Amino acid sequence: MKKHLLFIVLFCITATSVISQTAWSLKLKSKVELRSYRLTNKVDMAESGLSGATITLYKGSTVVVQVQSDGNGEFVIDVPPNGEYILAISYAGCNTKKFAINTLGVPESVGNDKYTPSFGIEGVIMARSFPTIDYSILSQPLVKIRYVDKGKKFDDDEMYTNQMLGSLSQMRNAEDDLMENFVALNNTGDIALSKGDCPTAKLNYEKAIALIAGERYPVEQLIKVGNCLKEKELAAKKAEEEKAAAEKK
């Protein structure tokens, strides 16, 4: 009986100790935005809060928790202590963005029930991918978040963040160059079409479609080119008929 009571006492003490060590969690919050482009003979960009993005917290391959962004694109998620996690933000048709969170290393003297750490990830931009662009950098976490003893807070690994920003800047420049080439072809096609140079217009719109498939503008302009070519053909045929009639007369 005494041994049984001793076991219960020890179990209660151990359970209380575990609870006191894991009473806190890291409150992670951010806002997800959708970046969209309208590509014609110029680039128009728009950004808005993205509702319904899926935010998944993984520990290894195990899903710890999953939430969705609200109507404004905002979300809050609690990251458990004493672990290494990956936060993945995904949305249909967009590249997934990943963040590494390490909640290890918080001293017991800090991690008590009054410890309420939080960290805000600056706006997460979701956007569709473009052909020929290398997006392999997105397979890595964009930011690594870890405990910083000075200030007893969580912060990003500044050196890692700067390296990733450099790589992301190169990726974004490649996207910009692709879009600029696309709209330049459309613009050249528009100028040729306005001058009645249907073959040149057709060639440039077809090059634009080959560069970024699925964009509506060059496809719609090719319809105008088709009408232009028909008008040219009819005018040429009428001129031949008139010439033949004049010669016969």
Side-chain angles (χ1 to χ4, degrees), residues 192-193 196-206 225 228-229 232:
L193 186 60
D197 186 355
C198 310
T200 298
K202 182 174 183 291
L203 178 64
N204 280 275
Y205 293 137
E206 288 176 343
V225 169
C228 172
L229 290 171
K232 293 280 185 183

Side-chain angles (χ1 to χ4, degrees), residues 34-84:
L34 178 65
R35 176 178 291 163
S36 57
Y37 296 95
R38 183 172 179 267
L39 305 179
T40 56
N41 51 14
K42 61 180 181 177
V43 178
D44 289 319
M45 184 187 77
E47 290 182 358
S48 58
L50 179 57
S51 171
T54 301
I55 298 92
T56 309
L57 185 69
Y58 293 94
K59 186 173 185 180
S61 59
T62 302
V63 175
V64 177
V65 64
Q66 188 175 81
V67 300
Q68 288 192 317
S69 56
D70 65 16
N72 296 320
E74 298 176 349
F75 72 87
V76 178
I77 196 166
D78 289 319
V79 183
N82 306 320
E84 295 183 54

Side-chain angles (χ1 to χ4, degrees), residues 28-226:
L28 201 65
K29 51 190 176 181
S30 185
K31 180 176 182 178
V32 187
E33 295 182 302
L34 178 65
R35 176 178 291 163
S36 57
Y37 296 95
R38 183 172 179 267
L39 305 179
T40 56
N41 51 14
K42 61 180 181 177
V43 178
D44 289 319
M45 184 187 77
E47 290 182 358
S48 58
L50 179 57
S51 171
T54 301
I55 298 92
T56 309
L57 185 69
Y58 293 94
K59 186 173 185 180
S61 59
T62 302
V63 175
V64 177
V65 64
Q66 188 175 81
V67 300
Q68 288 192 317
S69 56
D70 65 16
N72 296 320
E74 298 176 349
F75 72 87
V76 178
I77 196 166
D78 289 319
V79 183
N82 306 320
E84 295 183 54
Y85 305 89
I86 291 293
L87 185 78
I89 300 176
S90 58
Y91 189 75
C94 298
N95 289 307
T96 298
K97 302 294 175 63
K98 298 178 180 178
F99 303 85
I101 305 105
N102 187 336
T103 56
L104 296 167
V106 178
E108 290 185 22
S109 58
V110 174
N112 53 50
D113 57 356
K114 294 182 180 180
Y115 186 52
T116 56
S118 65
F119 184 83
I121 301 174
E122 291 187 16
V124 179
I125 303 296
M126 305 299 287
R128 68 181 175 110
S129 58
F130 288 100
T132 73
I133 302 298
D134 181 8
Y135 291 103
S136 59
I137 189 66
L138 297 180
S139 64
Q140 303 177 39
L142 302 183
V143 175
K144 288 185 176 180
I145 303 163
R146 78 282 189 260
Y147 175 74
V148 180
D149 192 51
K150 185 178 181 180
K152 300 177 181 179
K153 63 179 182 178
F154 282 84
D155 207 343
D156 68 302
D157 183 330
E158 189 174 351
M159 183 177 294
Y160 180 86
T161 300
N162 289 336
Q163 290 175 347
M164 289 300 295
L165 286 174
S167 298
L168 290 172
S169 179
Q170 292 177 7
M171 184 189 76
R172 181 65 191 280
N173 289 339
E175 287 182 331
D176 289 343
D177 290 342
L178 180 66
M179 287 186 285
E180 288 299 329
N181 290 335
F182 177 84
V183 300
L185 288 168
N186 286 332
N187 190 49
T188 301
D190 289 351
I191 293 172
L193 186 60
S194 68
K195 294 179 178 179
D197 186 355
C198 310
T200 298
K202 182 174 183 291
L203 178 64
N204 280 275
Y205 293 137
E206 288 176 343
K207 285 182 177 180
I209 291 172
L211 201 60
I212 305 179
E215 288 295 326
R216 293 177 56 186
Y217 187 79
V219 175
E220 292 171 348
Q221 292 301 95
L222 278 176
I223 296 173
K224 297 179 182 179
V225 169

